[in-house]
Structures are given as structure tokens and as C-alpha cells.
């Protein structure tokens, strides 16, 4: 990817929304989850790779995008973005970077600016884990207890640190109804093929809170029969109002 020029074209503009490229561009601007684009890029969809690279250069949530693709894409697709990463660091970055992971592990020795940010990140307090010593079985029991809804988010965050837990599928509807948000989507997203039957339902229900989790699971683990649902997922982006000129969100 080091010879690419499409992610720095000053005359760039949206492609037609009727094309895959146009849908992907609008996905970057209207809230398509990074995970879906990461999976499609890893599968070799060149348009996705180019658009994510462009977003890293100028998008608001560039750091999340960079760290996500650096974990799973070939190094040649992102290593040449090192000057961009160094140039976009600011005083708040050390509170956000995942310094134990790529790309920072690959770039620290190249730049004193990156090295300084990584050193600052190493000194930040570790996040609290109230359920670190709780067994997985006890966490699942907690998630079944509707009298402890306020504890469900930290419990789900703790489960995400552990091997995928298929038993979550038995209580997912209750968790969805409680509106626990991203911790649930993250925990369900790591279930893999075991979640495909449920994912097919989520991915064909645009208003479902786990809609994009379903799309991502189908992109990563589904088969040829799931292609229409993936295309529909991208098409639904064009039914959303734009986020505004010059704004881009994940």
C-alpha cells in the first residue's frame, strides 16, 4: 500500500451512492462500525482499505481506526501511515493510545514524539475491574439477575476479557432490553460462528440494537448466502441523514 495515492487526492469527492465505493465512503461518514470495515478490508476489499486509510489521515476518530486495522491488517497496508500518526498526536493522546499494541510497538523507536506519548501512556492509572476475581459462572448469574441491572455493564466488560461465552446468547434479549450498549455488542461480537444464527436476525433488522454487530459477524464468519444481508447493511447507510458537512464519525 505504500505507493497508494488515492488516500491523499486533494480533488477527492464522494462516488455515486449506487456503487460499493460510494456506500463505503458514506459508511465512514454516517456511523458504520469500524469493525465491519476492518473485516471487509482484511478480506481484501481494496475500496475499504483506501477509505479507512483516508479516514486515518483526516477523520475525527483516527486513533481508533488506526489501532483497529493495525491489529489485523498486513503491516504493509498501514506502516507507511507512521508520519500521519506522529503528526496527529496531541496532549490528550496518551490517555487513549493502546501502547502495548501495534502500531505503537512498531513505531516507538522511529520518533521521539511517539516515544514520549507511549511513555506517558505507560504511567496512566489502570482501569478498575470490579469483577476481576469473579468467576465466569457468577458473572453469568449476575447478568440473569434483573435486580442488578446497574452492574451489567462492568460485568460484560469483564467477560469480554475472557474466552467467548456462548451462554450469553441465552440471555441476549434481556440484555438488549436493558440498553447496556457497547459492552454487550463487544461481548457478542467475539462469539464467532456460534452466534451466526442470531446475527442473521440482527443483521436483517436495521433498528435492532445489535444490527451492526450482526453485520460484522456475518462479514467475518458468514457464507455466500449472507452476502445480501451485508449489501443491505451498506445500503441502509444511505437512508440515514448526513452528519453534516466536514464531519466524520464511526
Amino acid at each position: 500500500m505504500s505507493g497508494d495515492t488515492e488516500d491523499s487526492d486533494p480533488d477527492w469527492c464522494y462516488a455515486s451512492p449506487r456503487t460499493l465505493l460510494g456506500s463505503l465512503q458514506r459508511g465512514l461518514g454516517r456511523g458504520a462500525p469500524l469493525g465491519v470495515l476492518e473485516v471487509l478490508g482484511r478480506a481484501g476489499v481494496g475500496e475499504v482499505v483506501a477509505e479507512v486509510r483516508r479516514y486515518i489521515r483526516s477523520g475525527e476518530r483516527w486513533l481508533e481506526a488506526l489501532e483497529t486495522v493495525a491489529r489485523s491488517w498486513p503491516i504493509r497496508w498501514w506502516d507507511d501511515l507512521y508520519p500521519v500518526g506522529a503528526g496527529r498526536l496531541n496532549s490528550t493522546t496518551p490517555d487513549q493510545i493502546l501502547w502495548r499494541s501495534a502500531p505503537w510497538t512498531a513505531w516507538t523507536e522511529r520518533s521521539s514524539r511517539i516515544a514520549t506519548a507511549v511513555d506517558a501512556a505507560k504511567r496512566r492509572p489502570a482501569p478498575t475491574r470490579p469483577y476481576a476475581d469473579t468467576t465466569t459462572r457468577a458473572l453469568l448469574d449476575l447478568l440473569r439477575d434483573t435486580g442488578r441491572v446497574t452492574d451489567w455493564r462492568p460485568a460484560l466488560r469483564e467477560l469480554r476479557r475472557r474466552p467467548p461465552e456462548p451462554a450469553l446468547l441465552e440471555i441476549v434479549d434481556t440484555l438488549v432490553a436493558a440498553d447496556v450498549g457497547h459492552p454487550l455488542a463487544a461481548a457478542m461480537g467475539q462469539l464467532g460462528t456460534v452466534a451466526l444464527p442470531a446475527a442473521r436476525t440482527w443483521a436483517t433488522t436495521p433498528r435492532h440494537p445489535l444490527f451492526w454487530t450482526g453485520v460484522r459477524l456475518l462479514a467475518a464468519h458468514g457464507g455466500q448466502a449472507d452476502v445480501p444481508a451485508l449489501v443491505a447493511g451498506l445500503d441502509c447507510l444511505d437512508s440515514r441523514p448526513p452528519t453534516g458537512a466536514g464531519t466524520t464519525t464511526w
Side-chain angles (χ1 to χ4, degrees):
M1 299 296 300
S2 59
D4 291 338
T5 59
E6 74 278 12
D7 54 2
S8 57
D9 181 359
D11 297 320
W12 176 86
C13 61
Y14 276 133
S16 167
R18 298 180 181 274
T19 66
L20 173 61
L21 178 57
S23 294
L24 293 170
Q25 291 168 344
R26 288 160 176 79
L28 287 165
R30 299 186 185 175
L34 180 55
V36 174
L37 302 176
E38 176 265 323
V39 169
L40 292 174
R42 179 155 37 93
V45 180
E47 297 99 324
V48 173
V49 176
E51 289 308 311
V52 173
R53 285 169 54 85
R54 183 179 288 114
Y55 183 87
I56 290 168
R57 292 180 179 276
S58 58
E60 179 181 358
R61 294 174 64 184
W62 68 275
L63 185 61
E64 179 184 355
L66 174 60
E67 291 179 337
T68 297
V69 300
R71 288 195 297 268
S72 61
W73 286 7
I75 190 171
R76 67 182 184 277
W77 290 0
W78 53 263
D79 191 51
D80 65 323
L81 293 171
Y82 144 72
V84 175
R88 300 201 68 183
L89 293 175
N90 57 45
S91 60
T92 65
T93 307
D95 294 331
Q96 304 170 35
I97 65 172
L98 303 176
W99 59 270
R100 292 185 177 90
S101 305
W104 314 113
T105 51
W107 291 349
T108 300
E109 295 184 359
R110 300 188 200 175
S111 164
S112 60
R113 187 172 186 179
I114 290 178
T116 298
V118 167
D119 286 342
K122 291 178 179 179
R123 295 192 297 270
R124 70 191 178 202
T128 59
R129 295 176 58 188
Y131 295 110
D133 298 325
T134 305
T135 66
T136 296
R137 180 174 181 178
L139 287 173
L140 290 170
D141 288 342
L142 184 158
L143 292 170
R144 293 185 178 97
D145 185 349
T146 55
R148 300 189 63 182
V149 173
T150 56
D151 295 319
W152 286 2
R153 287 175 184 260
L156 285 165
R157 291 190 186 100
E158 183 59 38
L159 282 176
R160 191 188 179 194
R161 293 174 172 266
R162 305 182 185 188
E165 183 46 71
L168 284 172
L169 290 166
E170 301 171 7
I171 55 175
V172 64
D173 290 340
T174 301
L175 298 172
V176 165
D179 191 24
V180 291
H182 177 71
L184 175 60
M188 301 308 295
Q190 67 181 14
L191 292 182
T193 57
V194 69
L196 280 177
R200 291 184 176 109
T201 297
W202 305 334
T204 54
T205 311
R207 294 185 178 276
H208 196 287
L210 293 175
F211 171 75
W212 282 116
T213 301
V215 173
R216 180 181 181 183
L217 283 164
L218 295 186
H221 305 286
Q224 186 66 30
D226 296 309
V227 170
L230 295 176
V231 173
L234 291 173
D235 285 345
C236 87
L237 294 169
D238 285 318
S239 67
R240 299 182 179 187
T243 56
T247 61
T248 308
T249 58
W250 288 103

